Amino acid sequence: MEFNWDEYLEDTGATAAPHGSFKHVDTSLQNGFAPGMKLEVAVKSDQNTYWVATIITTCGQLLLLRYDGYGEDRKADFWCDILTADLHPIGWCQQNKKILKVPEGIKDKIPDQEEFLQRVLKGACSAPANLLEGLHRGKNPLDLIAPGSRLELQNARDSLEAWIVTVVENVGGRLKLRYEGLEDLDKFDQWLFYLDPFLHQVGWAAQHGYSLQPPSAIRSLRSEADWQEILKKVKEEEEESSVPTDLFKDKPVIGVHSFSEGMKLEAVDPMAPFVISPATVLKVFNDKYFMIEIDDLRAERASSQRYVCHLNSAGIFPVQWSLKNGLHLSPPPGYPGQDFDWADYLKQCGAEAAPQSCFPLLTSDHGFKENMKLEAVNPVDPEEVCIATVTKLKDSYLWLQLEGSKKPVPECIVSVESMNIFPVGWCETNGYQLRPPRKAIVNKQKKIAVVQPEKQILSSRTVHDGLKNQELNSSDSVVINGKYCCPKIYFNHRCFSGPYLNKGRIAELPQSVGPGNCVLVLKEVLTLLINAAYKPSRVLRELQLDEEAAWHGYGETLKAKYKGKSYRATVEVVRTADRVADFCRKTCIKLECCPNLFGPQMVLDKCSENCSVLTKTKYTHYYGKRKNKRIGRPPGGHSNLEVAMKKPNKRRKRRKHFFVHKKKRSSTSVDNTPAGSPQGSGAEEEDDQDEVDEESLTEDSTSEHQDELLEESEVSEKKSLSSSPTQSELSHSLAQDRDKRKRKLRTFSFSDDENKPPSPKDIKMEVAEKLQLDSNPLEWSVADVVRFLKSTDCAPLARIFLDQEIDGQALLLLTLPTVQECMDLKLGPAIKLCHHIERVKLAFYQQFAN
């Protein structure tokens, strides 16, 4: 059956562990190129000439380049495919008598070409020639470990010995290895990640003075003469089956340990990492390797659990570590009683505890949290990769509950740096079978309420299925050559965060996300941004897919929670690496923050947008979304915003007539608040109105709120016509109205208690139709505008103003053409409405404009 991570996470209410927490996966995606490297590239306008370019970002076989001379200007950045583009290392043009010529776009900036090249190439790092030419061109170094490649593996029982292994399978850097000489016998096969400290290129043992000997477990299967013959054959075929030596340059460096024989410690058996047990340093091989043995006091024991360790080996702890962390320490088999005491045990054994200085410092800064989901190798059956849930965390260690394994497995104890854990989607990306949970909900059909049901909503699942069933070009595929294609997305915390995002929460985001599958990485980035917002539901509104816009990407359903309610919307994300940078920039502009706040480029010292000196008002002017047609809130906004429906069978009569629109306010004054601060973000001033927007998005409550507001307006109107109360009665009635609105709608106004909103009874009409207002229309809320209209002969139009969320600011901006176009009114009703609007404008200019 097909398993879908998105549906599973939604059903379980869990979140995926962040991609950045799996450092070994991140390292495996590097292609040998690095940002800052230089190379010579054919000039597009003239293929016979070349110019020096710098690598900005790498992504699989794609490179984002910028010609030298453009400086910080990103407009001319371009993507190219290593396999097809005309790329060469520095010096190639000179060797092959090719022309280096400045591109036309920067010709004016470089008067002296020779002097410029000498300056920019001084101390520069050229892209490796072997990655640009020959058989290795365009290949991820990891792909060079092909089936049939040979490596050397250190003996798990004696680190001073190693033997040749052959790669049977390579799954995203996780290698299935078979000892040389066993041919088709798979009984002793092992799975190791290629960065494992015990795995090396052929020739490593001889270089470091270690012996090449088959492990004792397989030595008896062949004669000594056979083993020597196998060794001779391997040396003859060494060049054909070898892997690049620089492939292991990112392996963890093994430090010098200070353990001595006989020392006691606590340890987890890597072959059965389910309990923590007392252990002993059995043997010290050298200053890097030592062997420990899990203690067993039984006299009749048949075998012992022993294995080689080094300073950074996972699963070794100082004495009393379990006690200090509130964990259970399993007594050694044969220990009298169940209450284990280290002091008595050390005295009984006549041994000393390994000092704290022998162990590396543990860290809790890793990004994992309880209930997060990931993919993990089953330690009992390494062929299986299962869904795993983090059930407990202690320092640098996770307790994982595996789901879907063929045989039930207890909770596993693994290090956060283990190479046997992977991010959500890793198996799917690498074409490996993930063990689904036994009670998986596959393609579960959910009934989801939509705000505008008469329009068809393209769900993320629909688009996902469509992508699976269609033929994709190589330039349009989600994955390039079966590998990840999205570059690393950086959060540039120094950049301006805009009015929607909380600067403090942005600062807490990880430095980067990815690289990985474009859809998964961008979805994780957007989820982090939504959670870092002042009002998550509001950012979700800004990001959601505009149905009337052209479909260019991949629809993903994102969720937001705010004040106890859950919101959901379909958001479009791109699915190819060449569009990631543009997508990030446009999303930033949509959120009115610095275009460099997040994206595939890291901002080091100073942002190229100079965003630190811009206030919110200036920033909105430069990058904000301005539309020609605007009434209240921009039309066509939230047609696909969805909220889980509490009463799915209950329908409202006027459901298909109301819309919810994106909010956009005009700025009435210059904001001099420092960029990025909560005040500069406008979070507090828009708090009340956001309450209205969120309530209006809830399926069950929208019509009720509208009806209540209109009924309240009608009651208020009747009261104002039936009598002429005194000023004190007006104040008392006004306070009651305000309290009533707070109870029903929380609040519908920007104004506080000192700025009283108007009501029909506060509005004095004279025979000459001159309007006298008791409060500034700029401070009117949507409810106040509706209340004013109900006091006029345009009362039937009040619902339109409520539906389109027209507040006092928007009211003052309305004109006859705008009213006709956006409200769909005939000329007669439109003129009558504009007559009342002009009366409000006149009263505003006379009473409050100064």
Side-chain angles (χ1 to χ4, degrees):
M1 293 189 300
E2 179 188 352
F3 172 77
N4 182 273
W5 260 116
D6 287 338
E7 293 180 359
Y8 180 71
L9 290 173
E10 184 177 340
D11 291 336
T12 56
T15 57
H19 282 255
S21 296
F22 303 88
K23 296 178 182 177
H24 60 295
V25 176
D26 194 354
T27 302
S28 70
L29 301 176
Q30 306 304 319
N31 60 5
F33 295 96
M37 286 182 176
K38 295 185 182 295
L39 59 166
E40 295 174 354
V41 188
V43 178
K44 290 184 178 181
S45 58
D46 186 358
Q47 293 293 328
N48 294 322
T49 65
Y50 296 79
W51 189 241
V52 177
T54 301
I55 298 175
I56 305 299
T57 299
T58 67
C59 179
Q61 68 191 48
L62 300 179
L63 300 177
L64 180 64
L65 303 177
R66 181 183 305 164
Y67 285 121
D68 282 12
Y70 277 96
E72 296 298 321
D73 187 0
R74 302 186 302 176
K75 294 178 182 177
D77 290 4
F78 59 97
W79 287 95
C80 66
D81 190 326
I82 303 168
L83 288 175
T84 58
D86 196 358
L87 309 175
H88 304 280
I90 296 297
W92 180 86
C93 286
Q94 185 177 1
Q95 294 172 4
N96 293 273
K97 296 183 171 52
K98 297 292 183 180
I99 302 172
L100 274 174
K101 185 179 178 182
V102 183
E104 289 294 329
I106 52 176
K107 203 169 185 179
D108 297 339
K109 298 181 181 180
I110 306 176
D112 188 340
Q113 175 176 313
E114 294 300 324
E115 185 273 334
F116 176 80
L117 287 175
Q118 286 181 6
R119 178 161 46 86
V120 298
L121 295 179
K122 185 177 180 180
C125 177
S126 173
N130 65 311
L131 297 179
L132 293 170
E133 303 165 352
L135 296 175
H136 296 173
R137 178 177 179 178
K139 288 188 177 181
N140 187 319
L142 189 60
D143 297 334
L144 302 178
I145 309 179
S149 299
R150 290 193 178 104
L151 299 165
E152 289 181 1
L153 178 63
Q154 282 180 268
N155 194 333
R157 293 296 184 96
D158 187 347
S159 65
L160 301 182
E161 293 181 353
W163 187 243
I164 294 96
V165 288
T166 302
V167 177
V168 178
E169 193 175 352
N170 180 356
V171 181
R174 188 167 182 257
L175 309 178
K176 185 177 184 180
L177 304 171
R178 182 169 300 164
Y179 285 116
E180 189 69 30
L182 297 190
E183 298 174 348
D184 296 330
L185 184 62
D186 60 1
K187 179 181 177 181
F188 300 97
D189 286 359
Q190 298 185 55
W191 282 92
L192 290 176
F193 203 73
Y194 82 103
L195 294 174
D196 190 285
F198 291 99
L199 198 59
H200 313 277
Q201 70 271 19
V202 173
W204 176 88
Q207 184 180 352
H208 291 79
Y210 294 175
S211 63
L212 273 177
Q213 293 286 341
S216 56
I218 66 170
R219 196 171 298 172
S220 60
L221 298 178
R222 290 184 179 273
S223 66
E224 187 62 29
D226 290 340
W227 289 122
Q228 292 302 319
E229 188 65 30
I230 291 170
L231 196 55
K232 181 180 177 182
K233 179 184 175 185
V234 168
K235 290 181 178 179
E236 290 174 353
E237 301 174 354
E238 184 173 339
E239 288 189 8
E240 299 175 10
S241 60
S242 64
V243 297
T245 55
D246 61 346
L247 187 66
F248 301 100
K249 68 182 187 308
D250 296 316
K251 276 182 25 172
V253 177
I254 297 176
V256 176
H257 71 82
S258 55
F259 287 94
S260 301
E261 289 185 11
M263 283 183 174
K264 294 288 185 180
L265 64 157
E266 298 180 2
V268 175
D269 183 359
M271 303 305 293
F274 311 122
V275 296
I276 304 173
S277 308
T280 305
V281 178
L282 189 64
K283 183 178 180 181
V284 174
F285 294 103
N286 52 25
D287 60 355
K288 289 190 176 181
Y289 302 103
F290 58 96
M291 177 180 285
I292 71 168
E293 181 181 43
I294 304 297
D295 286 0
D296 189 340
L297 304 181
R298 295 174 298 183
E300 69 281 3
R301 62 176 179 173
S303 61
S304 60
Q305 297 168 278
R306 58 179 68 173
Y307 51 93
V308 174
C309 291
H310 52 83
L311 176 63
N312 298 318
S313 287
I316 56 174
F317 315 98
V319 165
Q320 305 285 10
W321 185 82
S322 298
L323 181 64
K324 291 176 182 177
N325 287 278
L327 302 171
H328 175 68
L329 181 68
S330 179
Y335 181 80
Q338 292 298 316
D339 296 328
F340 180 82
D341 182 77
W342 261 115
D344 292 344
Y345 185 63
L346 290 172
K347 194 173 181 180
Q348 174 186 339
C349 298
E352 63 170 332
Q356 179 72 49
S357 59
C358 290
F359 301 88
L361 294 176
L362 301 180
T363 177
S364 56
D365 183 21
H366 43 66
F368 291 100
K369 295 180 181 178
E370 285 188 13
N371 298 319
M372 279 186 170
K373 301 286 184 179
L374 57 145
E375 299 176 4
V377 174
N378 182 351
V380 177
D381 184 0
E383 290 273 353
E384 288 186 354
V385 179
C386 306
I387 294 170
T389 306
V390 179
T391 59
K392 191 190 312 179
L393 296 101
K394 294 294 179 183
D395 293 330
S396 300
Y397 289 85
L398 310 173
W399 274 251
L400 300 178
Q401 182 62 59
L402 303 185
E403 304 175 37
S405 56
K406 294 177 183 177
K407 297 179 181 179
V409 178
E411 284 187 351
C412 308
I413 306 171
V414 300
S415 166
V416 295
E417 296 183 350
S418 169
M419 298 183 190
N420 284 327
I421 58 175
F422 304 95
V424 163
W426 183 86
C427 280
E428 181 181 4
T429 302
N430 290 283
Y432 195 77
Q433 176 63 49
L434 174 70
R435 294 288 303 175
R438 290 185 177 84
K439 296 181 180 180
I441 302 174
V442 182
N443 293 338
K444 181 180 177 181
Q445 297 295 323
K446 292 184 172 65
K447 295 181 179 179
I448 300 174
V450 295
V451 174
Q452 204 171 356
E454 72 272 18
K455 289 191 177 183
Q456 182 181 3
I457 306 298
L458 285 176
S459 68
S460 63
R461 190 69 196 153
T462 304
V463 180
H464 179 73
D465 291 339
L467 288 174
K468 278 196 167 183
N469 296 328
Q470 71 181 8
E471 290 293 328
L472 297 173
N473 299 322
S474 61
S475 61
D476 195 37
S477 59
V478 176
V479 179
I480 297 176
N481 286 349
K483 302 298 177 188
Y484 295 98
C485 72
C486 184
K488 187 179 290 187
I489 304 298
Y490 296 96
F491 289 105
N492 298 308
H493 301 133
R494 298 179 182 179
C495 290
F496 177 70
S497 58
Y500 299 117
L501 304 176
N502 185 316
K503 184 71 173 178
R505 294 177 189 167
I506 289 291
E508 295 174 358
L509 295 180
Q511 185 179 9
S512 64
V513 173
N517 180 296
C518 269
V519 174
L520 295 178
V521 170
L522 294 177
K523 182 178 178 181
E524 181 177 347
V525 168
L526 295 180
T527 301
L528 288 172
L529 289 174
I530 291 171
N531 294 335
Y534 288 104
K535 305 288 183 282
S537 56
R538 197 168 148 213
V539 169
L540 188 61
R541 277 190 199 90
E542 298 297 327
L543 296 176
Q544 69 175 330
L545 180 68
D546 185 352
E547 287 183 352
E548 301 190 359
W551 182 272
H552 295 297
Y554 185 101
E556 275 295 320
T557 300
L558 298 184
K559 294 182 289 185
K561 289 187 178 181
Y562 183 59
K563 293 196 174 181
K565 288 187 174 62
S566 295
Y567 303 90
R568 187 183 309 165
T570 302
V571 175
E572 181 181 13
V573 296
V574 297
R575 45 195 172 89
T576 55
D578 57 334
R579 296 170 56 198
V580 167
D582 185 59
F583 171 82
C584 293
R585 186 174 179 86
K586 287 181 178 178
T587 303
C588 287
I589 293 174
K590 189 182 294 185
L591 296 180
E592 297 180 29
C593 58
C594 174
N596 291 335
L597 181 66
F598 65 93
Q601 184 174 2
M602 181 190 296
V603 173
L604 298 175
D605 297 322
K606 187 176 180 182
C607 174
S608 59
E609 302 289 341
N610 201 24
C611 64
S612 61
V613 300
L614 295 176
T615 64
K616 181 188 73 172
T617 305
K618 291 180 182 177
Y619 218 90
T620 304
H621 173 72
Y622 293 145
Y623 298 108
K625 309 174 291 298
R626 294 297 182 217
K627 294 182 174 61
N628 293 328
K629 295 191 294 183
R630 183 173 75 175
I631 178 165
R633 309 292 174 255
H638 310 292
S639 58
N640 74 324
L641 197 61
E642 306 167 359
V643 182
M645 192 165 65
K646 296 179 182 177
K647 300 175 182 178
N649 297 326
K650 189 174 182 180
R651 301 189 63 82
R652 300 288 177 188
K653 288 184 179 180
R654 303 198 184 192
R655 174 65 55 223
K656 69 177 182 178
H657 295 298
F658 78 87
F659 302 81
V660 180
H661 298 283
K662 285 185 179 175
K663 309 200 322 283
K664 190 71 183 174
R665 294 181 181 81
S666 60
S667 180
T668 58
S669 64
V670 177
D671 182 359
N672 294 319
T673 310
S677 65
Q679 291 82 1
S681 302
E684 295 178 3
E685 68 180 17
E686 297 176 351
D687 183 73
D688 292 344
Q689 185 62 35
D690 284 338
E691 301 276 3
V692 182
D693 295 330
E694 283 145 15
E695 290 294 339
S696 67
L697 292 173
T698 306
E699 176 76 6
D700 293 335
S701 61
T702 306
S703 293
E704 293 175 335
H705 285 160
Q706 290 181 328
D707 295 338
E708 287 172 359
L709 184 55
L710 289 173
E711 289 169 6
E712 183 184 345
S713 300
E714 291 169 0
V715 172
S716 180
E717 179 188 10
K718 290 177 182 178
K719 286 183 179 179
S720 65
L721 295 176
S722 62
S723 62
S724 300
T726 64
Q727 185 63 34
S728 61
E729 290 172 336
L730 282 174
S731 301
H732 179 67
S733 175
L734 180 60
Q736 287 182 330
D737 282 353
R738 186 162 55 247
D739 291 339
K740 182 178 180 182
R741 287 201 306 277
K742 284 184 179 179
R743 287 195 303 271
K744 288 187 176 182
L745 307 172
R746 294 199 180 111
T747 176
F748 271 84
S749 175
F750 287 111
S751 59
D752 55 23
D753 291 340
E754 294 178 0
N755 298 317
K756 298 179 180 180
S759 66
K761 50 198 170 189
D762 295 324
I763 301 171
K764 303 173 183 178
M765 295 187 187
E766 299 180 2
V767 178
E769 293 192 329
K770 182 179 179 181
L771 200 60
Q772 186 68 27
L773 302 177
D774 285 350
S775 64
N776 191 338
L778 282 177
E779 299 172 352
W780 287 8
S781 66
V782 177
D784 302 327
V785 172
V786 169
R787 202 168 284 109
F788 164 73
L789 286 175
K790 293 296 292 182
S791 69
T792 69
D793 56 356
C794 290
L797 302 179
R799 178 171 286 277
I800 297 178
F801 279 66
L802 180 62
D803 291 344
Q804 300 204 17
E805 301 179 3
I806 301 174
D807 59 12
Q809 294 181 30
L811 182 73
L812 294 178
L813 293 173
L814 294 181
T815 62
L816 181 60
T818 310
V819 166
Q820 280 187 281
E821 183 178 359
C822 297
M823 289 189 174
D824 231 356
L825 296 179
K826 293 183 179 179
L827 183 59
I831 292 175
K832 187 185 295 185
L833 174 62
C834 287
H835 171 68
H836 293 293
I837 294 172
E838 292 303 317
R839 289 169 58 222
V840 174
K841 289 181 182 179
L842 180 61
F844 165 73
Y845 289 131
Q846 291 176 341
Q847 296 178 237
F848 304 99
N850 294 327

